Amino acid sequence: MPHVTAPATSPAPGPGPGPAATVDTHCPYCSLQCGMGLRPAPGAEGGVEVVERAAFPVNRGALCGKGRTAPAVLSSRVRLTEPLVRRPDTGRLEPATWDEALDRVAEGLAGAARAHGRDAVGVFGGGGLTNEKAYALGKFARVVLGTSQIDYNGRFCMSSAAAAHNRAFGLDRGLPFPLADVARTGCVILVGSNLAETMPPALRYLTELKEAGGKLIVVDPRRTRTAEQADLHLAPRPGTDLALALGLLHLVVAEGRVDEEFVARRTTGWPGARAAAMAHWPEMVERITGVPVPELREAVRLFCDAENSMVLTARGPEQQSKGTDTVGAWINLCLATGRAGRPLSGYGCLTGQGNGQGGREHGQKADQLPGYRKLDDPAARAHVAAVWGIDPDALPGPGRSAYELLDALGGDIRALLLMGSNPVVSAPRAAHIEARLRSLDFMAVADVVLSETAALADVVLPVTQWAEETGTTTNLEGRVVLRRAAVPPPPGVRSDLQVLGALAARLGWEKGFPADPEEVFDELRRASAGGVADYSGITYRRIAEDDGVFWPCPEEPGLEGSGREEPGPEGSGRDAANGSGPRPGTPRLFLDRFATDDGRARFAAVTHRPAAEEPDADYPLYLTTGRVLSQYQSGAQTRRVEELNRAAPGPFVQLHPLLAERLGAAEGDALAVVSRRGRAVAPARISRDIRPDTVFMPFHWAGEGRANALTNPALDPVSRMPEFKVCAVRVERADPR
């Protein structure tokens, strides 16, 4: 297919725009992928300033502080600008040439494979990588390295929701409808999301929902900024969201609110799910969750009295050792009430990371090939192998999930290539994972900044970032968007695609790993064609002209290379899963049928079970973790922005006044939070906005305030998601008087 040139204000890959041009692009942070413009500003950090891009439909010009200050990380003052190699004589990372650094990486990876076998080499990716990078990284691992040991930090993000989505609907896309539909429904149950702090521009949709007369129910152990907006706030004990959802479904059945016609026509498995729910009567659910029965009944009334309703989940119910079943129970509530498979109703997941959706669709997840194909499916292997020009039998099988891969470092896995992740801060049981990283024979890290993980590497490769490169990401709606290069990278910095191409050449693959992102995307389109996540009809030009294209988007026969098809009305209702999918893309899924073999959604017969670790005499409290407004994920980038650090300078322990009184703690006192895995120290933040039996810590910081030193790596049996959101701790004064 011939390449096309985007409009004048949206340059294609290249050295960047002209001197006065404003470049339309997207924020580098969360899954909203907010639209923004960048224009030259010689006095500003990074040489550019952010301008409003009101036409982009997701954020309509609004940006949070992280988006506004994103150019600060472009500054050479805070980012890597030359390769670093650890010198054997000093043990320190010191500057090196690119040739020396790449030679060291190639030999480190190849040497581990020669000595211990191909699976002794691990690859760990990130949910912030563009689709092109994620695709190339997965191809590099399986074709060049021949290893099965690849996964990514998106496993920590929404894998439980993905597993439940696949089990119920046969297809996983975070939101099966545009985000704008949220403002037009009648009632939203928001489970385990503090939207006001994690993705503030999306809060307007909840505000507009309420202004139109809709109702908002927030489920969260804390009274967050988002919960303050709710008509009803349910505050369950951490780890009891599954019981809560089952209790609501019990009441739906008992009160005669089941949509029997929808259940009979469009679902299977209802008898088992119904029986499981009926075993969770309201008084029992109140004992488990702490949510009073009248509040349960009010939630059912608000949800069912509305003509249309939605359930949206985030990390709260998902980051649990039973996260897949928990999300499945909330999906059951939607199915039983007929709130699925029709406009303005349904279940959706609020993806966290910027490309958490696309990052797993195209090959850096342990069990998946591009197009969301299963690695153990012979037809999928044959299709992708043909695109890659290799024998299907040469493809390795599925590997370990993210935590299991990290836990195996220094054992079965002797060398690691890591791109775009900081597990020293972000992984559960983080001190243990740090020790595993230190035990490796060799580690190479490609990153923008010298993160805590990069500081442990044998070789650090400085790579380009969002405003210096072109590439696609897929936001929480399944909308594929185009980030565009606005400024040239500093001298000495290369793109991840260039890095993979250079390493592939050193390891015997001269071709197949181009540096041009559009060329990589065109190959991704071919590899995804016919898959669940079919991008074959998406082009850079179409994305630019349509403000993003929703997948699945199969290519229109006879239009290959045209760059644009005539779009139908957004959400026309045609379903890509019925074999006659819409060519313009699919804003709304499942309106005709679900993506299962029989077209019916599947109920899940799930039963509540406790968290993997419940409070006891030694560790009497729950710990839950999360984010704050002015930091992002492991903080590797945002902690380098002065404005954000002034707003959120460090970790803290949020606790209820009753607990503080028992401890004799005052606001700002240093508290030690201790679990079976570690200890973290941070100042007390006393608030009535949290349950007395629960403490909260944000997880953005390293050092003594590292919250993930405490968290439990107990894994969901289906998704392999660790139980970040609940573990048992004790709290004690760190500065006894």
Side-chain angles (χ1 to χ4, degrees):
M1 171 188 162
H3 288 187
V4 296
T5 302
T9 58
S10 308
T22 295
V23 177
D24 286 346
T25 190
H26 295 270
C27 177
Y29 292 116
C30 83
S31 65
L32 286 180
Q33 288 297 280
C34 289
M36 61 167 61
L38 292 178
R39 68 184 177 198
E45 284 193 292
V48 292
E49 63 181 358
V50 172
V51 296
E52 183 178 297
R53 184 180 164 194
F56 186 67
V58 176
N59 61 308
R60 293 181 283 178
L63 291 168
C64 72
K66 295 186 289 291
R68 286 189 298 97
T69 61
V73 187
L74 298 171
S75 170
S76 297
R77 183 175 58 84
V78 300
R79 54 94 57 83
L80 294 165
T81 58
E82 57 187 346
L84 303 175
V85 169
R86 193 170 301 280
R87 301 297 178 188
D89 52 339
T90 66
R92 293 195 297 266
L93 286 171
E94 297 180 6
T97 67
W98 268 100
D99 281 340
E100 180 188 3
L102 291 168
D103 287 346
R104 283 279 298 271
V105 176
E107 178 52 35
L109 301 179
R114 283 195 303 269
H116 305 285
R118 289 179 177 269
D119 276 356
V121 181
V123 176
F124 199 82
L129 301 180
T130 63
N131 290 319
E132 293 80 359
K133 295 178 188 179
Y135 172 84
L137 186 62
K139 180 181 177 182
F140 178 84
R142 295 183 172 107
V143 173
V144 177
L145 300 177
T147 181
S148 66
Q149 300 303 302
I150 175 173
D151 210 74
Y152 81 128
N153 63 17
R155 180 80 69 168
F156 300 159
C157 176
M158 57 175 289
S159 56
S160 290
H165 231 144
N166 278 322
R167 185 166 68 183
F169 305 130
L171 182 151
D172 159 43
R173 198 180 83 186
L175 294 182
F177 39 72
L179 187 61
D181 282 3
V182 171
R184 301 167 55 210
T185 192
C187 178
V188 170
I189 301 181
L190 184 65
V191 189
S193 170
N194 184 10
L195 202 65
E197 297 202 49
T198 59
M199 46 181 69
L203 187 64
R204 67 167 46 180
Y205 294 108
L206 299 180
T207 302
E208 291 170 6
L209 164 77
K210 296 190 65 179
E211 288 173 348
K215 301 298 181 182
L216 174 63
I217 303 168
V218 172
V219 179
D220 199 305
R222 302 191 299 141
R223 185 171 177 80
T224 63
R225 295 184 187 181
T226 307
E228 289 173 357
Q229 310 300 314
D231 297 283
L232 177 64
H233 173 213
L234 308 180
R237 294 184 182 94
T240 64
D241 307 270
L242 176 51
L244 179 63
L246 288 165
L248 297 181
L249 184 54
H250 178 111
L251 288 170
V252 165
V253 176
E255 295 177 6
R257 293 179 176 271
V258 175
D259 187 335
E260 301 286 359
E261 189 276 334
F262 176 88
V263 168
R265 181 171 55 88
R266 299 202 60 188
T267 73
T268 62
W270 171 234
R274 182 185 186 279
M278 298 315 289
H280 294 75
W281 57 94
E283 291 75 16
M284 171 188 177
V285 169
E286 179 178 330
R287 288 197 300 273
I288 293 171
T289 65
V291 177
V293 171
E295 292 185 8
L296 299 176
R297 295 187 184 280
E298 178 66 2
V300 168
R301 184 189 70 80
L302 293 174
F303 187 74
C304 293
D305 282 357
E307 182 179 354
N308 300 295
S309 303
M310 296 176 179
V311 172
L312 305 177
T313 68
R315 306 301 79 76
E318 298 164 18
Q319 287 180 328
Q320 299 184 27
S321 59
K322 53 182 182 296
T324 301
D325 284 355
T326 300
V327 174
W330 288 105
I331 292 174
N332 285 352
L333 181 66
C334 293
L335 294 176
T337 55
R339 264 66 172 178
R342 62 186 177 89
L344 305 182
S345 285
Y347 164 77
C349 166
L350 299 173
T351 311
Q353 294 190 79
N355 198 31
Q357 181 71 52
R360 71 179 177 281
E361 292 168 3
H362 298 299
Q364 63 174 335
K365 191 164 174 279
D367 57 348
Q368 288 178 189
L369 289 169
Y372 225 130
R373 289 181 159 90
K374 287 293 185 183
L375 190 53
D376 56 5
D377 176 1
R381 294 169 66 87
H383 175 88
V384 174
V387 174
W388 289 350
I390 62 172
D391 188 319
D393 292 338
L395 285 172
R400 292 177 172 93
S401 71
Y403 181 79
E404 292 164 305
L405 189 158
L406 295 171
D407 189 41
L409 299 179
D412 293 344
I413 300 175
R414 309 301 307 176
L416 181 70
L417 173 63
L418 185 146
M419 284 187 163
S421 187
N422 188 19
V424 166
V425 178
S426 64
R429 198 184 173 197
H432 170 72
I433 295 306
E434 180 179 346
R436 302 320 307 152
L437 289 162
R438 291 180 182 275
S439 72
L440 284 164
D441 296 339
F442 178 82
M443 178 169 69
V445 173
D447 210 334
V448 171
V449 297
L450 190 67
S451 69
E452 287 77 11
T453 303
L456 304 180
D458 297 285
V459 179
V460 182
L461 303 174
V463 291
T464 53
Q465 53 181 307
W466 63 289
E468 301 162 349
E469 60 187 13
T470 293
T472 62
T473 61
T474 306
N475 81 344
L476 77 172
E477 311 163 296
R479 185 193 302 258
V480 184
V481 301
L482 183 63
R483 291 184 188 166
R484 300 172 176 87
V487 294
V493 173
R494 299 185 183 182
S495 73
D496 293 277
L497 296 179
Q498 288 175 310
V499 167
L500 292 173
L503 290 175
R506 283 167 168 77
L507 294 170
W509 290 80
E510 295 288 344
K511 297 182 179 180
F513 292 88
D516 175 13
E518 191 170 6
E519 187 175 346
V520 176
F521 188 76
D522 284 347
E523 183 178 303
L524 180 158
R525 294 172 59 220
R526 297 194 300 274
S528 74
V532 174
D534 190 335
Y535 281 35
S536 62
I538 304 176
T539 64
Y540 276 26
R541 172 177 282 176
R542 284 198 55 196
I543 297 171
E545 293 179 345
D546 296 342
D547 269 332
V549 180
F550 292 85
W551 73 261
C553 183
E555 189 160 56
E556 180 77 42
L559 290 182
E560 182 176 357
S562 69
R564 179 176 173 86
E565 295 83 6
E566 286 302 316
E570 182 169 280
S572 59
R574 300 180 63 192
D575 179 5
N578 66 7
S580 59
R583 304 310 186 212
T586 317
R588 296 176 180 84
L589 298 169
F590 313 137
L591 300 187
D592 298 327
R593 68 193 306 275
F594 296 97
T596 56
D597 291 341
D598 60 5
R600 292 170 174 260
R602 305 184 189 101
F603 279 96
V606 295
T607 301
H608 175 72
R609 56 189 185 274
E613 183 179 79
E614 293 282 346
D616 57 20
D618 295 324
Y619 301 93
L621 301 167
Y622 293 101
L623 168 71
T624 191
T625 63
R627 288 166 48 189
V628 297
L629 176 63
S630 293
Q631 299 289 349
Y632 179 73
Q633 304 298 72
S634 76
Q637 295 175 347
T638 52
R639 284 187 277 117
R640 287 166 168 80
V641 180
E642 293 177 7
E643 180 180 329
L644 299 179
N645 282 333
R646 287 195 297 271
F652 58 86
V653 181
Q654 184 186 36
L655 71 164
H656 193 276
L658 292 176
L659 177 57
E661 183 179 0
R662 290 209 307 270
L663 295 171
E667 182 78 12
D669 283 354
L671 296 179
V673 183
V674 184
S675 78
R676 290 178 173 85
R677 290 154 296 282
R679 182 175 187 265
V681 177
R685 184 172 294 181
I686 300 172
S687 170
R688 294 188 178 277
D689 293 338
I690 191 168
R691 295 175 54 93
D693 58 2
T694 302
V695 295
F696 167 84
M697 289 189 72
F699 56 73
H700 308 290
W701 287 274
E704 68 173 6
R706 179 170 55 174
N708 276 321
L710 309 168
T711 48
N712 191 353
L715 302 180
D716 180 285
V718 179
S719 69
R720 315 309 288 170
M721 166 80 86
E723 192 156 57
F724 286 99
K725 278 296 182 282
V726 52
C727 69
V729 298
R730 66 173 181 266
V731 179
E732 52 201 29
R733 293 183 55 83
D735 56 348
R737 293 179 233 185

